[in-house]
Amino acid sequence: MRRATRLIGTLTFPPLLAACAHTLPPAGQHSVSHRDVESPPEKPVDPAYLRLPSDLALLQDRLASRLWDGDLPVGEDSETARVPATKRRKPRAAPGLRLARAASGSPGEEGLWQHIRQKLVLSDIRHEAVDAEIEAFRHNPAHLDALARRGEPFLHYLASEIERKGLPMDVLVVPMVESAFDPLAASPRDAVGLWQIVRGTGEEHGLTVDENYDGRYDIHASTSAALSYLKHLGTVFNGDWLLALAAYNAGEGAVQRAVAASLKAGRGGSFWTLDLPAETRAYVPRILALSRIIAHPEGYGLKLRKIRDRPYLTRVEVDSKVRVAEVVASSGLPEQEFFRMNPALKPGVQPPKRRYDVLLPVESAAALASILDGAKPTAARKRGGRRGATLSALGRQSGHG
């Protein structure tokens, strides 16, 4: 039966994909800023910027050339989806240098992907637009592997933060689609970083942006801001994560207006009935497609790169008195690799006069904490949320729009 299904997909979808190829804008190029913030004049698009997913096959060599030198550790539907919000206490800061260790998970037979798929809540949504996106990935399996390869240093850290915040694990897919896990990604509309945050949204959710330091490039700070914003959107749209994800791309006000128009026209107000920009109409199905692929890769003839369920990156909190050059020298990492993990920092430029964070491989972070004065490891943060809590909150139905 599975072979027959694949054969039907092979015969049916290529013409559709051929017609759709090259119609999607580059990842992170928002039609509207996150909070309907007025965008600055457009900047030239980086010629090396990546598109998702159909035309990535043509740029695969370029993507491969930008991966992290091949030395990264390798180891092992409903129309609406509702997840209850949870409140978390903010961790207390300590003076000096502090190593904030991530919590380790159980390795398991399938590693990190197995842990992630157990927490997905949108992977059962069915719609022809989602099917088309899945077919695009099936025709470009190397692209999926490249995404996992580039995201490997960040995935455990991001998954832990998402779980700690009590959000559906499906939002892990957002930086896959937004930036292809490129921390230096910048769109013509001034959305930058791993999560493609515009300045107004970033500042509203606690990021510092000035000429010497742009928190949108800070992987830890931008993740905190993005998850804060996503949690806000989940609340605004009453736990309808399709609408919340659409708002992350098109803007909160744009989606609210589209929902109001849909309701007025008697169409129900679900995502599939909304009159939204073409980019957003493709953006949400692409996230849902990746969620389904992560949940059932073998069902689509795909294989996910094995990633061990243990931390690769660890956050180190640094006192403002410690210069960036000292941190780089004490980390034991080549300067180029250090700044890849910490793109918000600039060589020779000190961040604002406050504590700042650096992300380092676990071994380098431990060495740094033992060398610099004031280093003090802290207790591991436990992953948040009760297993299955988000799943039990969902009323799953097939949504065909």
Side-chain angles (χ1 to χ4, degrees):
M1 181 65 180
R2 181 177 297 174
R3 291 181 180 175
T5 301
R6 291 180 186 168
L7 178 58
I8 293 171
T10 302
L11 295 174
T12 305
F13 281 98
L16 173 62
L17 294 172
C20 295
H22 305 289
T23 61
L24 301 181
Q29 183 173 320
H30 299 285
S31 56
V32 191
S33 300
H34 287 312
R35 284 293 189 89
D36 298 331
V37 178
E38 184 177 353
S39 301
E42 292 196 358
K43 299 178 289 186
V45 180
D46 178 359
Y49 206 71
L50 301 178
R51 289 176 163 191
L52 297 175
S54 57
D55 57 346
L56 259 268
L58 303 176
L59 299 178
Q60 189 59 45
D61 290 339
R62 181 175 292 167
L63 173 60
S65 70
R66 297 178 67 186
L67 299 175
W68 286 25
D69 301 329
D71 59 353
L72 300 178
V74 179
E76 303 266 88
D77 276 313
S78 60
E79 293 185 22
T80 61
R82 306 183 186 279
V83 181
T86 58
K87 295 183 179 180
R88 302 277 169 198
R89 236 185 306 174
K90 294 184 178 179
R92 292 178 295 175
L97 181 72
R98 186 172 69 176
L99 178 64
R101 292 176 178 169
S104 298
S106 302
E109 292 183 1
E110 296 187 56
L112 183 59
W113 293 118
Q114 177 62 18
H115 179 84
I116 289 171
R117 66 172 55 100
Q118 290 174 346
K119 306 288 182 175
L120 296 172
V121 300
L122 305 178
S123 58
D124 287 344
I125 293 177
R126 297 289 185 267
H127 192 274
E128 59 186 10
V130 181
D131 294 338
E133 292 289 342
I134 290 175
E135 284 302 307
F137 281 105
R138 289 185 66 240
H139 283 75
N140 294 285
H143 167 51
L144 186 65
D145 185 71
L147 277 178
R149 180 182 174 88
R150 175 182 277 176
E152 187 166 3
F154 311 119
L155 281 169
H156 188 283
Y157 172 77
L158 296 176
S160 296
E161 289 298 296
I162 290 167
E163 192 170 350
R164 191 173 65 83
K165 295 283 189 180
L167 292 170
M169 191 58 71
D170 309 75
V171 304
L172 181 68
V173 176
V174 170
M176 287 187 188
V177 176
E178 288 283 352
S179 66
F181 284 128
D182 181 359
L184 291 172
S187 84
R189 295 182 181 273
D190 197 37
V192 305
L194 205 67
W195 294 88
Q196 290 290 281
I197 300 173
V198 297
R199 180 167 184 160
T201 300
E203 291 178 335
E204 187 171 347
H205 289 272
L207 293 181
T208 298
V209 181
D210 60 32
E211 60 178 334
N212 291 329
Y213 173 84
D214 189 337
R216 297 175 298 168
Y217 287 107
D218 184 313
I219 292 168
H220 169 70
S222 67
T223 296
S224 179
L227 297 184
S228 172
Y229 183 44
L230 282 162
K231 195 164 190 173
H232 163 79
L233 292 173
T235 300
V236 167
F237 292 101
N238 299 313
D240 186 327
W241 282 98
L242 273 64
L243 297 181
L245 291 168
Y248 190 89
N249 177 260
E252 182 179 331
V255 175
Q256 288 175 322
R257 290 188 293 272
V259 169
S262 174
L263 290 172
K264 185 176 181 180
R267 297 197 301 269
S270 75
F271 168 77
W272 308 109
T273 70
L274 303 186
D275 183 12
L276 291 169
E279 179 192 341
T280 307
R281 293 199 304 270
Y283 175 87
V284 173
R286 191 171 303 142
I287 289 176
L288 299 177
L290 281 165
S291 181
R292 272 172 59 182
I293 288 170
I294 292 171
H296 311 289
E298 69 287 342
Y300 304 107
L302 295 167
K303 186 176 182 180
L304 296 175
R305 179 184 183 83
K306 290 183 179 180
I307 300 175
R308 300 177 72 176
D309 188 7
R310 70 180 187 185
Y312 175 70
L313 292 178
T314 295
R315 182 169 61 93
V316 179
E317 295 177 350
V318 184
D319 190 84
S320 60
K321 297 177 182 178
V322 182
R323 301 193 63 78
V324 174
E326 294 179 66
V327 179
V328 176
S330 300
S331 72
L333 295 174
E335 185 174 291
Q336 183 180 14
E337 185 175 355
F338 176 89
F339 286 109
R340 277 176 176 167
M341 298 177 187
N342 299 279
L345 302 178
K346 302 176 183 178
V349 178
Q350 196 67 3
K353 294 182 179 180
R354 58 172 182 76
R355 301 179 67 83
Y356 61 96
D357 298 319
V358 296
L359 281 180
L360 298 172
V362 173
E363 297 79 5
S364 299
L368 176 66
S370 67
I371 292 173
L372 288 180
D373 293 337
K376 185 174 73 171
T378 62
R381 290 177 179 176
K382 293 183 178 180
R383 283 168 167 161
R386 290 177 292 109
R387 180 174 177 177
T390 53
L391 292 176
S392 64
L394 294 177
R396 293 186 170 182
Q397 303 172 11
S398 296
H400 297 280

